[in-house]
Amino acid sequence: MLSISSLLNLAGLVALATSSPTNVKRAPTIYLAGDSTMARGGGGGNSGTDGWGNFFPYSVSLPVVNKAIGGRSARSFTVEGRFNELINLVQPNDIVIIEFGHNDGGSLSSSDNGRTACPGAGSETCQSTYNGQKVTVLTYPAYLINAGKSLTAKGAKVIISSPTPNNPWEGGSFAYSASRFTTYSKSAAQSIGSNAFFVDHGQYTANIFKSLGKAKVDSFFPKDHTHTSPAGADTVSRAFVKGLLCAGGSFLSGSIRNSTGSVEGACI
């Protein structure tokens, strides 16, 4: 016969086993990696701007962690260890949405700002001097591919997004053309493989902005032609959701609260 103390120990072990975290199914987490157009607070300070990543959680049923930060590029996000932080955080089936492009252009020939990528669409490298140190700079797609492959190796899914457009009504009439970073983003997603997906966020946003007209869209840009007001950020977020919905939800299928028809714009 078991003693009272043995019975108590056995009961404790049973309770521990039934409450073990390993028995609880974990919901995937969505992580956002990008610049100020995605980041909380947008252009920063009291500018009246916000990033679209601040509104994205309203469209999905999964937890969202916004790691976007103003002023960053694919290069500086890499060099500062921010991609490594995400690589260490993600667990299988987590989703990482990556969107850069606004701070990745420029020239390395005069003064390196630490954000500019090496020109090129592949494995080209450039030698530069930043903060008095000789550095090797990769291309924009190379930074995305390196991060994406490391994330998918951990079991995560990656969505590479083209950059959001600057105000396409700024010149008086509507004008939008995709930058090279859209092409680079699409090719990076293809290079990462089947666990990566591309959303042309820029085109989906531009389509909605065109339908809304100049006066409405101008009101979305209180500071400059890049950073949106909260209302504008909400519209930009919905444009990203439209891109997902038009692709059947991609890795977020079943987790999007909106229906395709409820979001402005047409599928492309």
Side-chain angles (χ1 to χ4, degrees):
M1 177 180 293
L2 292 173
S3 65
I4 292 177
S5 60
S6 297
L7 287 171
L8 290 174
N9 288 336
L10 181 59
L13 290 172
V14 170
L16 180 63
T18 56
S19 64
S20 172
T22 59
N23 294 329
V24 178
K25 186 176 180 180
R26 174 186 172 274
T29 297
I30 303 170
Y31 292 95
L32 307 182
D35 55 34
S36 57
T37 60
M38 179 192 271
R40 187 180 301 276
N46 297 314
S47 60
T49 63
D50 209 346
W52 70 266
N54 204 27
F55 292 84
F56 184 63
Y58 297 111
S59 289
V60 291
S61 59
L62 299 175
V64 178
V65 178
N66 192 348
K67 291 288 187 178
I69 184 168
R72 282 4 183 231
S73 66
R75 172 188 168 189
S76 62
F77 209 83
T78 299
V79 173
E80 292 174 2
R82 299 181 188 277
F83 273 129
N84 278 340
E85 178 188 357
L86 284 173
I87 292 162
N88 291 331
L89 276 175
V90 294
Q91 298 185 43
N93 297 316
D94 284 346
I95 298 114
V96 182
I97 300 171
I98 301 173
E99 182 181 289
F100 289 100
H102 283 288
N103 301 312
D104 301 76
S107 173
L108 293 169
S109 60
S110 54
S111 178
D112 187 352
N113 61 10
R115 305 187 300 185
T116 300
C118 179
S123 59
E124 301 93 332
T125 60
C126 296
Q127 301 305 309
S128 184
T129 301
Y130 177 63
N131 280 346
Q133 301 292 320
K134 297 291 185 182
V135 294
T136 298
V137 182
L138 309 183
T139 64
Y140 175 84
Y143 286 116
L144 297 185
I145 292 167
N146 289 346
K149 287 189 172 181
S150 294
L151 289 163
T152 56
K154 291 285 297 290
K157 311 293 185 184
V158 174
I159 298 175
I160 304 290
S161 176
S162 64
T164 57
N166 291 331
N167 184 356
W169 288 100
E170 184 180 27
S173 59
F174 183 87
Y176 171 76
S177 58
S179 74
R180 67 187 184 278
F181 295 109
T182 293
T183 303
Y184 291 161
S185 297
K186 184 175 183 179
S187 67
Q190 292 169 340
S191 296
I192 294 166
S194 60
N195 286 322
F197 184 78
F198 170 71
V199 171
D200 196 346
H201 194 187
Q203 188 65 63
Y204 275 101
T205 303
N207 289 351
I208 295 177
F209 281 177
K210 185 176 183 179
S211 70
L212 292 176
K214 176 175 171 56
K216 183 68 172 178
V217 174
D218 281 349
S219 74
F220 287 164
F221 293 90
K223 177 184 178 183
D224 51 37
H225 65 191
T226 302
H227 301 97
T228 54
S229 65
D234 184 36
T235 301
V236 174
S237 176
R238 289 170 63 81
F240 181 79
V241 173
K242 185 73 172 186
L244 292 176
L245 289 168
C246 289
S250 179
F251 304 128
L252 292 172
S253 178
S255 301
I256 301 175
R257 300 183 190 277
N258 314 70
S259 64
T260 307
S262 71
V263 184
E264 309 95 314
C267 294
I268 60 175

